[in-house]
Amino acid sequence: MVQVGEALDRILARAEPLGTETVDLTAARGRILAQDIAADDDLPALPRSSVDGYAVIAGDTAGALEVLEEVTAGRLALTQVRAGSAVRIMTGGALPEGANAVVMVEDVDEIDGRAILQHRPRPGENVHPPGMDLARGQSVLCRGIRVGAAEVGLLATVGCARVPVFRKPRVAVLATGDELVEPQETPPPGSVRDSNRFALMAAAEDAGAEVVWQAHARDDEAQLEQAMREGLAAADVLLTSGGVSMGTRDLIKPLLEKMATIHFGRVSFKPGKPLTFATTAEGKLAFGLPGFPVSSLVTLEVFVRPALLKLGGAERVLRPRVEVVLEHEIRPDAVRLEYQRATVTWQDQHFVARTTGLQSSSRLMSIVGANALLEIGPGSEPLAKGTMVQALLLANL
Ligand code: AMP
Ligand code: MG
């Protein structure tokens, strides 16, 4: 039985980015950047007005300035501003030669083609100098970051219309169990609906993976073996659920042993002790996840998600960690590190954690609405209300 940190180390040591591809800017959101990106030019390239107003020479003492022309965004001035003159200019317009300041339209009276300034500007007033937003050659985005809205905007700004990104890891999901029926079916006595297959597919996609294969197999050795081989052939990562503990129909471990090298088969972890991790000769990853719905999702969150992110080229693969105050007593597991589901809120200058209720491995309602996993070390004494513990943040608070 390995400890959580050791298990994660063994997994991440065998997960390397899978390759790169190029996508259109409109398809780049959510992808992981595969190259550093630099600015191709100064922005702005020319000094530019930041307001609607009049371009003038700061220090010009003339009472009324002759308005020579109008400059709108995207058009350059034809004339040069000299003492005694001004150019009407719109936001984003390039500053005419000679001018070094812009007075806002609200501070100017224009009468019969003459501008009367209500205040005398200082040099540079309302002017964005070249390179103020971006300097040519400046690194703007780093390889390994996830592309969001601001990054899409920056990529467009620097002319990166085809975006180099890491390839998404391809995932195969196999649910196992004689008792499973499809979600649209009414389970006969003794059966349950297959929830893991769908939850695991969703969680894998949340972690940047692409689900390319999915199936349900019965607890039959030949059927399981064929399904597992198919899944591994189709994908970079195979996730199985169920059949991995100590029961007589738990066939996943011996089958993984046949087709891959097992790196661990038990983790000192709750919920999900029987988690099994193996790699094939071609370097594909296989995770035997436990069958209980909460165990399979929490083991995916703690162990598989970082691997999927790393395979997908992400620089940051671990959830942010914060200290939280317990709103109530918590009873730790006697021997295993436990990840309890909770909702964390900001109250009176602290993050405060409240449990999602009964932490049973079968109770999916203990994850619904949770935004944190509390990391509770093993012990025999309850942790009192007010105790500080560490939490992995699963969502923005
Ligand atoms: P197992 O480890 O295969 O013995 O499964 C443990 C428990 O999880 C059993 O109660 C199973 O019915 C349940 N279980 C296994 N796979 C699934 C699944 N795909 N969806 C919902 N429950 C499952
Ligand atoms: Mg089973």
Side-chain angles (χ1 to χ4, degrees):
M1 184 131 88
V2 296
Q3 301 299 314
V4 168
E6 171 65 20
L8 205 48
D9 287 347
R10 289 189 196 178
I11 294 167
L12 291 178
R14 291 166 179 88
E16 289 304 327
L18 293 163
T20 63
E21 61 191 15
T22 312
V23 295
D24 275 340
L25 185 57
T26 49
R29 183 180 65 87
R31 301 300 299 268
I32 306 294
L33 209 55
Q35 276 174 28
D36 293 345
I37 303 289
D40 66 333
D41 202 355
D42 285 343
L43 186 74
L46 300 170
R48 188 165 76 175
S49 177
S50 63
V51 296
D52 298 322
Y54 290 79
V56 300
I57 299 168
D60 190 342
T61 51
L65 307 171
E66 182 192 354
V67 179
L68 303 173
E69 60 174 314
E70 179 173 288
V71 167
T72 53
R75 279 195 46 242
L76 298 180
L78 305 170
T79 50
Q80 191 177 341
V81 174
R82 290 163 279 101
S85 68
V87 162
R88 198 184 307 119
I89 190 166
M90 303 298 130
T91 305
L95 199 68
E97 269 185 52
N100 64 356
V102 176
V103 182
M104 291 169 75
V105 68
E106 291 86 337
D107 295 339
V108 179
D109 295 312
E110 185 182 334
I111 300 160
D112 296 335
R114 304 206 144 253
I116 297 147
L117 310 188
Q118 290 165 14
H119 97 111
R120 300 284 166 182
R122 37 175 190 77
E125 191 162 312
N126 295 323
V127 174
H128 285 171
M132 182 179 119
D133 294 347
L134 294 175
R136 178 199 296 261
Q138 173 194 350
S139 166
V140 292
L141 295 171
C142 292
R143 169 193 157 98
I145 60 125
R146 190 171 177 281
V147 176
E151 290 76 16
V152 166
L154 256 179
L155 289 164
T157 300
V158 303
C160 186
R162 297 278 303 161
V163 186
V165 295
F166 284 102
R167 181 162 83 64
K168 289 182 174 194
R170 292 168 306 181
V171 169
V173 179
L174 175 65
T176 76
D178 288 340
E179 75 282 29
L180 301 181
V181 300
E182 294 294 311
Q184 64 273 22
E185 294 177 60
T186 303
S191 292
V192 290
R193 294 193 177 101
D194 176 4
S195 65
N196 291 354
R197 181 152 46 106
F198 303 94
L200 294 175
M201 290 195 291
E205 284 178 0
D206 276 350
E210 181 186 358
V211 177
V212 293
W213 184 94
Q214 44 142 325
H216 161 233
R218 304 186 68 82
D219 295 316
D220 168 82
E221 195 171 327
Q223 196 188 118
L224 278 173
E225 177 167 355
Q226 198 200 328
M228 287 166 74
R229 290 196 188 275
E230 242 179 63
L232 275 172
D236 306 302
V237 180
L238 170 68
L239 307 179
T240 64
S241 100
V244 80
S245 38
M246 309 296 277
T248 55
R249 302 316 295 161
D250 289 338
L251 304 165
I252 295 290
K253 275 193 178 93
L255 284 172
L256 277 176
E257 216 150 13
K258 248 171 104 171
M259 54 190 90
T261 307
I262 294 190
H263 303 290
F264 59 80
R266 268 151 70 89
V267 188
S268 181
F269 173 85
K270 188 176 177 181
K273 178 169 67 176
L275 171 71
T276 300
F277 170 59
T279 51
T280 66
E282 304 111 291
K284 296 186 176 189
L285 281 62
F287 293 90
L289 304 181
F292 278 118
V294 172
S295 309
S296 70
L297 265 187
V298 176
T299 49
L300 183 144
E301 169 59 43
V302 174
F303 298 99
V304 182
R305 189 177 191 276
L308 293 177
L309 288 171
K310 194 164 175 219
L311 289 166
E315 198 56 45
R316 277 190 45 194
V317 302
L318 298 179
R319 295 285 196 183
R321 198 175 264 278
V322 293
E323 294 235 299
V324 301
V325 180
L326 295 182
E327 202 179 87
H328 45 73
E329 185 181 284
I330 275 187
R331 197 166 279 282
D333 187 81
V335 290
R336 285 180 286 161
L337 183 60
E338 182 174 6
Y339 287 74
Q340 292 207 12
R341 286 73 69 200
T343 45
V344 167
T345 52
W346 181 252
Q347 289 174 37
D348 303 329
Q349 312 301 313
H350 289 101
F351 285 124
V352 176
R354 173 195 301 227
T355 180
T356 51
L358 180 67
Q359 300 286 300
S360 158
S361 312
S362 57
R363 186 174 168 265
L364 268 182
M365 287 301 287
S366 75
I367 308 187
V368 172
N371 61 6
L373 290 177
L374 309 182
E375 209 176 48
I376 307 293
S380 47
E381 296 301 316
L383 300 178
K385 167 182 173 169
T387 305
M388 295 282 261
V389 302
Q390 293 203 1
L392 305 182
L393 293 183
L394 307 180
N396 289 332
L397 298 183

